[in-house]
Amino acid sequence: MSLIAVIAVLGVGLGVASLVVVLAISTGFQKVFQDRVLGVNAHVVVLKYGRDFEEYREVQSLSQEMPEVRAAAPFVIQQMMLSRGGKRKGNQATGDDVRIVLLKGVTELGATQVLDVQRHLVKSIVKGRVEGLRVEGTKPPVERPSGAGPEGALLGSLDEYLMGVSAEQGYPLEPAHGSNDVDPGSAEPSASLAHHVSPSGELPTVAVPTLEDMTAFLEEGDGSWDSHGDEGFSEGVDTLPSEVDEAAFFEQESHGREVGPGVLPGLLVGVTLAEEMGLGLGDEVQVVSPLLGSGFGWSQSESSVPQQGQFRVTGIFEAGFQEYDSGLVYADLREAQHLLGFGDVVTGVELKLHDPGDAEVMAGRLDRALQSGPFHTVDWRKLNHSLFRALELQKIMLSIVIATIIVVAAFCVIATLILSVLEKKKEIAILKSMGARPGHVLTAFAAQGAVIGVLGTGVGLLLGGVVGAYLEHIRFPLDPEVYLIDHLPVQLDSLDFVVAGLVALGICFLATLIPSRWASRLIPVDGLRAG
């Protein structure tokens, strides 16, 4: 083989190797982004127009009956503010203490089987497991009456409780809301006080216990005042609510769970968010919604006080996406529902399939099963359409650009064959004089060019595989704020090798046609004269 033929082989090989590496990197980006997107997003999401997705249990049951579905779970999601203790100005948190985050409420099934949250945990109270998100004993929320905010609900419950206690003691009270209708300048007593006014118009005389009476009551502990004289309290009147009544009231106001010091629901935060805020396992944080309670959030409360709740960091996860690691937190579904205050409703139902490639077909089937209406489905590709479309276009354009290297190397093949034709003009003329057809000559030179192409392609595939494996091994670092991931992803796919090889062979074959055709049309007399 001549020197120029060797150069042609090396040129084709370098072009093929470059194409293999570029395809491997592009495939790696697609694979990593797909894995990480599916780590925090489900394959199919069922949503409902409006804010009253109360039928989520029926939708979840219907979805799980389909054989393609591996698991299904409800979720809620809302933009919130996350703050922690530490540097403060008075009672206000400083800017360094507050972050805008997306709070996602999930079930244990959703966190472990629908999403890959457990696999992404870096630190947790129980190593490698999602634990402690829900306080033991938390009950599902009840639907709050329309227009009643969190404060209204609390006052309503307290009013009812006090009215019940007063009725048991023989002093029934009218609802306090009726007092708003009384003219402030009127001398008439309000209806709520009518039961305590004597026929003569005088208020009843109430005895105030002395220090000795209170001391005797505390010592006896019988729950009644034993006063002396007609002005004392009547014996047997219980003036304080019983422990059972207190327990029932606070059980209702604490969402049905036992409250006590240190009992807080758990929160999973991203690793970047934890680093920026200095959070560690066990730290207490406050989740606040400036919209809920102001008429702009999901809960149309009349109150202007934001919804807020205390949580404890029970895990730190690393999804690999900067936007998720710095702006997403997970809480238990029930705890999130109680915090957000819109009752037993959810944002949607997430589905995980056995094969993510079936997501688009499965979303269509589920749409038909739900008979559309207020429901609609979104698959993971549609949910991240812009990202994956950009990756596909990037892969195509880079492949076209790198393929030009093979085109340049093909010119070496053309030059090699042209020199070969010039050197062998006399031999070509003799063969044609002996009866060789032009097609035979064309085939001979095309075969020579094909050998160069095959050798160059083989060298390139081998070199590209070695370079790709090396890059995959060293994990070349990248800036996560720019590329969203911290290292260069490389995915050596057999399909990429096949594509690169076919492209190189095709270019080399086309390059042989020009000199081979020229040699086949050579006139024997000209060849003999030149020889």
Side-chain angles (χ1 to χ4, degrees), residues 69-100:
V69 177
R70 176 180 295 178
F75 73 98
V76 296
I77 191 165
Q78 178 74 31
Q79 191 173 53
M80 308 288 279
M81 291 195 306
L82 183 71
S83 64
R84 60 158 297 168
K87 299 179 292 182
R88 291 183 177 271
K89 296 179 180 179
N91 293 327
Q92 300 295 323
T94 65
D96 294 336
D97 293 327
V98 180
R99 294 290 188 278
I100 301 296

Side-chain angles (χ1 to χ4, degrees), residues 67 87 125 225 254 310 338 374 426 480 519:
K87 299 179 292 182
I125 55 174
W225 292 107
S254 62
Q310 293 291 125
H338 286 300
K426 182 177 180 180

Side-chain angles (χ1 to χ4, degrees), residues 465-483:
V466 171
V467 173
Y470 176 72
L471 291 175
E472 186 177 11
H473 175 71
I474 65 172
R475 296 172 66 88
F476 189 82
L478 296 176
D479 185 355
E481 294 186 359
V482 177
Y483 299 98

Side-chain angles (χ1 to χ4, degrees), residues 409-422:
F411 281 97
C412 293
V413 177
I414 294 174
T416 301
L417 293 179
I418 289 176
L419 287 177
S420 180
V421 170
L422 292 176

